[in-house]
Amino acid sequence: DWVLWVDADAILMNGATDLESLVDEGFDMIVSKGSQTELNSGIFLMRNSPWSFGFLDQVWQVDKFEDHLWAEQLGIQEVLSKNPKNKDHIKYLSPRALNSRPGGEGKPSDHNTFEDGDFIVHLAGQFWENKGKAEQLFMEWIRRSTLHTEEVVE
């Protein structure tokens, strides 16, 4: 069995995405590469396995980043740096496979900029500067989602 973790600032955009096509039974965690870091922990798949429980427990014990915006992500990276064998359990996907980012407003397009048909758009960092603008952006992306219904937006 697998669990899909999705941050609250991410929106499912394509309901036709087959999660089983992303699962690889040779690994315990499936995550996208990060644009600024080794990985982005905002969206990931994790298998119900002894390794997964142990790994998450190790990450939980890293408390020096608890007040940082990327607390769990930095915790994951710290655990990986202390025990590189953990990387044998992790499959890294291209950034857009699980973690597309919005483009626009002068932001250059790159290897993880959202394209129609992508599974998830992750609005990471969009909610810290201007709440009103962030809510507007969130609603714009919800309207673009293939899962959008008028009931969700109203």
Side-chain angles (χ1 to χ4, degrees), residues 12 22 25 27-28 30 43-44 65-66 69 73 85 100 102 104 129 132 151:
L12 299 176
L22 301 172
E25 297 297 336
F27 297 90
D28 292 294
I30 299 170
I43 299 102
F44 61 88
F65 303 115
E66 67 185 31
L69 178 64
Q73 186 162 300
K85 284 204 165 279
S100 292
E129 298 168 11
E151 293 133 22

Side-chain angles (χ1 to χ4, degrees):
D1 294 338
W2 289 80
V3 171
L4 174 65
W5 172 266
V6 180
D7 274 0
D9 59 358
I11 301 168
L12 299 176
M13 296 299 291
N14 183 353
T17 300
D18 178 13
L19 285 177
E20 290 183 12
S21 70
L22 301 172
V23 168
D24 185 331
E25 297 297 336
F27 297 90
D28 292 294
M29 182 176 187
I30 299 170
V31 64
S32 285
K33 294 177 184 175
S35 58
Q36 300 172 9
T37 57
E38 180 178 349
L39 56 83
N40 188 304
S41 63
I43 299 102
F44 61 88
L45 286 154
M46 186 160 276
R47 187 198 335 217
N48 179 4
S49 72
W51 178 87
S52 297
F53 281 92
F55 182 74
L56 290 174
D57 187 54
Q58 290 174 55
V59 172
W60 184 256
Q61 301 305 318
V62 178
D63 59 3
K64 68 182 180 182
F65 303 115
E66 67 185 31
D67 293 326
H68 193 283
L69 178 64
W70 298 347
E72 82 287 347
Q73 186 162 300
L74 294 173
I76 288 171
Q77 290 178 187
E78 172 135 328
V79 170
L80 290 175
S81 70
K82 286 184 176 179
N83 185 355
K85 284 204 165 279
N86 280 317
K87 292 181 183 181
D88 295 343
H89 294 265
I90 301 173
K91 181 175 185 175
Y92 293 88
L93 302 177
S94 67
R96 285 189 35 237
L98 287 174
N99 198 32
S100 292
R101 300 293 304 270
E105 292 192 33
K107 295 179 185 174
S109 292
D110 62 16
H111 61 281
N112 65 347
T113 301
F114 179 85
E115 293 180 15
D116 288 338
D118 286 354
F119 178 39
I120 295 175
V121 66
H122 191 189
L123 305 176
Q126 303 293 321
F127 296 93
W128 300 101
E129 298 168 11
N130 180 325
K131 185 177 178 184
K133 184 178 176 185
E135 288 174 359
Q136 179 183 358
L137 179 65
F138 201 81
M139 294 310 295
E140 287 172 16
W141 281 98
I142 287 175
R143 285 185 188 96
R144 286 182 63 178
S145 170
T146 64
L147 303 173
H148 165 256
T149 66
E150 289 304 317
E151 293 133 22
V152 172
V153 176
E154 292 178 7

